[in-house]
């Protein structure tokens, strides 16, 4: 997913990996347990920031990479905490921290990554506006996670579902694009356009993610099939399938259980497949991607615009 190469700044991505490794090297044990965390992944958030930061005014990578690193660290921290709450055993095909060590260590590592991200921002003098935007980002991640945790095994309305994925995913991608536009000193209207692109992209990303949770290949996604359902998180494929009277009773019976087994997940997948839920989710994701494309400012670096369009294509077609 090397879309940033279209801007002529592919070196940014190599340097980002160096910055990430350096960021988690404060202590030997910290480095040992954090290095696997920062390996792999899509790097979607820093890539969006770096691309949007090159839409007009060109700054040296030295100015951009600490903030790009901070965004990836915040994302990684949120995943560490998510895995604790979900009781997840694997992430990106490897053991989660809570599975390999314990929840206490995992909580502290997540806190460390959040703190390290804000240290990078403070050390590089990005200013109050950037700090405020990042603070709001972390706050919204927490609100979204709290709302999700309080509603486990409960069937959300479509509005409640969208509210949750906006806080947990869409707002993050929107923030990355907004920060890039601000750094590039775009007009306010253009910054808002980029932020709106990020929001629509994020909504589509999460809907596709929810489909992959049921229909993705574990060896490709790096996560167990049906992980959301097993942990009590009710996503769009289930919400849609429950609207079919023929299927709703069987699905509700699964959701009412104290513990959801592998056989229950297989049954749920079969039920979902017998409805139009998959096509429904794909159509909704495609609609959000179309909105993302329409929101892209017209008068920006055309190579960057092309790369952002490629990212939209990736999000809607991805398998991981």
């Amino acid at each position: 997913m090397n879309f940033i190469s279209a801007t002529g700044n592919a070196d940014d991505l190599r340097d980002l990996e160096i910055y990430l490794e350096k960021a988690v090297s404060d202590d030997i044990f910290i480095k040992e347990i954090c290095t696997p965390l920062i390996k792999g992944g899509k790097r979607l958030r820093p890539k969006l920031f770096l691309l949007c930061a090159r839409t007009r005014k060109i700054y040296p990578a030295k100015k951009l990479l600490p903030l790009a690193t901070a965004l990836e660290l915040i994302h990684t921290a949120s995943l560490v905490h998510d895995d604790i709450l979900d009781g997840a055993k694997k992430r990106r095909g490897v053991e989660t921290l809570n599975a390999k060590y314990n929840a206490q260590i995992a909580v502290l590592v997540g806190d460390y990554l959040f703190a390290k991200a804000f240290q990078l921002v403070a050390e590089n003098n990005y200013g109050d506006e950037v700090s405020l935007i990042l603070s709001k980002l972390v706050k919204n991640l927490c609100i979204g996670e709290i709302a999700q945790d309080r509603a486990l095994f409960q069937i959300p309305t479509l509005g409640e579902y969208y509210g949750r994925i906006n806080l947990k995913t869409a707002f993050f991608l929107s923030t990355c694009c907004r920060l890039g536009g601000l750094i590039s000193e775009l007009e306010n209207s253009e910054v808002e356009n980029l932020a709106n692109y990020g929001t629509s992209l994020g909504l589509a990303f999460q809907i596709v993610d929810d489909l992959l949770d049921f229909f993705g290949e574990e060896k490709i996604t790096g996560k167990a099939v049906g992980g959301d359902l097993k942990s009590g998180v009710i996503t769009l494929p289930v919400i849609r399938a429950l609207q079919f009277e023929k299927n709703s009773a069987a699905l509700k019976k699964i959701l009412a259980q104290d513990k959801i087994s592998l056989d229950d997940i297989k049954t749920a997948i079969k039920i979902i497949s017998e409805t139009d839920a998959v096509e429904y989710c794909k159509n909704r994701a495609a609609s959000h991607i179309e909105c993302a494309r329409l929101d892209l400012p017209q008068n920006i670096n055309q190579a960057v615009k092309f790369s952002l369009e490629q990212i939209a294509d990736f999000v809607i077609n991805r398998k991981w």
Side-chain angles (χ1 to χ4, degrees):
M1 203 177 82
N2 196 19
F3 305 113
I4 203 168
S5 62
T7 69
N9 291 288
D11 288 347
D12 287 352
L13 299 182
R14 184 185 63 247
D15 291 341
L16 174 65
E17 301 305 317
I18 296 170
Y19 270 70
L20 282 167
E21 287 182 21
K22 185 178 178 181
V24 297
S25 299
D26 288 324
D27 172 270
I28 293 176
F29 181 62
I30 289 288
K31 183 176 181 179
E32 177 187 329
I33 60 178
C34 286
T35 296
L37 294 178
I38 62 170
K39 296 295 183 184
K42 304 170 190 67
R43 301 288 190 255
L44 178 58
R45 289 151 185 84
K47 285 175 181 177
L48 284 171
F49 165 73
L50 289 167
L51 280 167
C52 292
R54 298 193 183 281
T55 47
R56 185 157 301 157
K57 193 160 185 175
I58 303 301
Y59 283 101
K62 186 177 179 181
K63 179 178 176 65
L64 302 179
L65 285 169
L67 184 48
T69 302
L71 288 165
E72 185 66 12
L73 291 178
I74 289 172
H75 173 54
T76 305
S78 72
L79 295 182
V80 170
H81 286 170
D82 277 356
D83 288 341
I84 299 166
L85 293 169
D86 297 341
K89 302 299 182 184
K90 277 190 174 183
R91 168 77 68 176
R92 296 171 181 169
V94 299
E95 273 191 301
T96 58
L97 281 187
N98 45 296
K100 188 173 183 179
Y101 298 95
N102 53 52
Q104 292 91 329
I105 289 290
V107 167
L108 292 170
V109 169
D111 292 347
Y112 163 82
L113 292 170
F114 277 128
K116 188 67 183 186
F118 280 92
Q119 179 185 342
L120 287 172
V121 173
E123 287 175 344
N124 288 277
N125 301 312
Y126 285 107
D128 292 343
E129 186 173 13
V130 169
S131 295
L132 182 62
I133 290 170
L134 288 177
S135 297
K136 187 175 180 180
L137 167 62
V138 175
K139 179 196 73 173
N140 281 357
L141 286 172
C142 293
I143 293 173
E145 195 63 56
I146 290 167
Q148 178 176 290
D149 195 62
R150 293 188 67 205
L152 293 179
F153 295 100
Q154 297 176 30
I155 302 164
T157 65
L158 188 61
E160 288 168 342
Y161 167 79
Y162 265 97
R164 186 176 73 209
I165 69 171
N166 181 60
L167 288 167
K168 291 193 62 183
T169 305
F171 189 80
F172 203 150
L173 301 195
S174 177
T175 294
C176 294
C177 296
R178 179 182 298 279
L179 288 171
L182 288 172
I183 291 289
S184 196
E185 299 184 10
L186 295 181
E187 297 293 332
N188 289 340
S189 61
E190 293 174 314
V191 172
E192 290 305 316
N193 282 342
L194 285 177
N196 290 338
Y197 160 87
T199 297
S200 295
L201 190 77
L203 294 174
F205 183 95
Q206 190 58 56
I207 291 171
V208 172
D209 213 54
D210 293 342
L211 278 175
L212 289 174
D213 186 66
F214 287 109
F215 300 101
E217 295 183 41
E218 186 174 340
K219 62 183 180 181
I220 297 176
T221 65
K223 296 184 288 186
V225 173
D228 285 338
L229 186 63
K230 189 173 184 179
S231 61
V233 179
I234 311 304
T235 58
L236 191 57
V238 176
I239 295 170
R240 178 61 177 178
L242 284 167
Q243 294 177 7
F244 289 78
E245 187 175 349
K246 176 184 174 183
N247 307 84
S248 62
L251 264 181
K252 286 179 179 177
K253 185 178 179 181
I254 292 172
L255 296 176
Q257 296 177 168
D258 292 333
K259 190 174 182 180
I260 294 177
S261 68
L262 183 58
D263 284 339
D264 292 327
I265 291 170
K266 289 178 180 178
T267 300
I269 291 172
K270 183 175 183 296
I271 292 170
I272 292 167
S273 299
E274 291 172 351
T275 72
D276 73 349
V278 173
E279 195 64 25
Y280 173 84
C281 292
K282 287 181 178 179
N283 287 339
R284 277 196 167 265
S287 177
H288 292 306
I289 288 297
E290 182 60 25
C291 288
R293 291 179 183 280
L294 292 173
D295 277 319
L296 283 173
Q298 296 302 309
N299 299 319
I300 58 173
N301 181 308
Q302 290 303 296
V304 170
K305 187 171 182 287
F306 177 72
S307 290
L308 292 172
E309 289 172 341
Q310 282 187 299
I311 287 179
D313 288 337
F314 164 77
V315 164
I316 199 67
N317 295 309
R318 70 192 180 92
K319 305 297 181 186
W320 62 291

